[in-house]
Amino acid sequence: MRVVQTATLLMATLGVGLMAGLFAAFAYAVMPGLRRSADRTFVEAMQNINRAIVNGWFLLPFLLPVPLLVLATVLAWNGPGRVALPWILAALVLYLAGFFVTSGVNVPLNNALDKAPADDGPAALGDAGGSRGPGGRAGTADTADRPGALKAARDSFEGRWVTWNIVRALAHTAAFGMLAWALFLHGGAGAVAG
């Protein structure tokens, strides 16, 4: 039972740590770097990142900590290492908070940004071939209806996404700290019991 507890707690800690690191890297490197970019570069980069990140290398450490933390809670409740239970529960709450920020705020913002045009040129505005509308004017109705679409998409995305990314980075980092302490206590409880 102790081996299963330790393995569960260790795997949960690793998954939470990977997510804390990813979201923290966005907070202190990726987004500040992109902030210096033009609207087109920013939107295109974020669209590409958001499409590329949905893969098993992200989803496994993002989703797996939830059932692992629930299992770690049950195992700590019913077995040795109960001294770590409050820390595991705190980590579960913090991780779920960050998880729900991701699914409730960041992902919907990503999805909205994904619908933004790749650029403000005629192709993005419905005039891919430079065709002429009635009266010989090139796509004037489309262009007039959507000036600065990239700027608008960025403005509605960047501030909120960055703020909520910092929230989830802090929540996941705090959860990682709680789990590191829980592992320490769990190990100490094993040494006392042994």
Side-chain angles (χ1 to χ4, degrees), residues 54-129:
V54 181
N55 64 66
W57 295 109
F58 168 77
L59 292 174
L60 186 66
F62 179 65
L63 297 173
L64 196 56
V66 175
L68 287 174
L69 286 169
V70 170
L71 179 58
T73 300
V74 170
L75 292 172
W77 182 271
N78 293 324
R82 195 165 184 173
V83 66
L85 182 61
W87 302 98
I88 296 169
L89 283 171
L92 176 60
V93 168
L94 287 164
Y95 192 82
L96 285 174
F99 184 91
F100 288 125
V101 165
T102 299
S103 59
V105 179
N106 292 92
V107 169
L109 286 169
N110 293 347
N111 293 340
L113 187 68
D114 194 49
K115 294 177 182 140
D119 64 43
D120 280 337
L125 303 173
D127 193 25

Side-chain angles (χ1 to χ4, degrees), residues 117 120-121 124-126 137-150 152:
D120 280 337
L125 303 173
R137 296 188 334 236
T140 55
D142 288 338
T143 304
D145 289 343
R146 295 178 59 193
L150 289 174

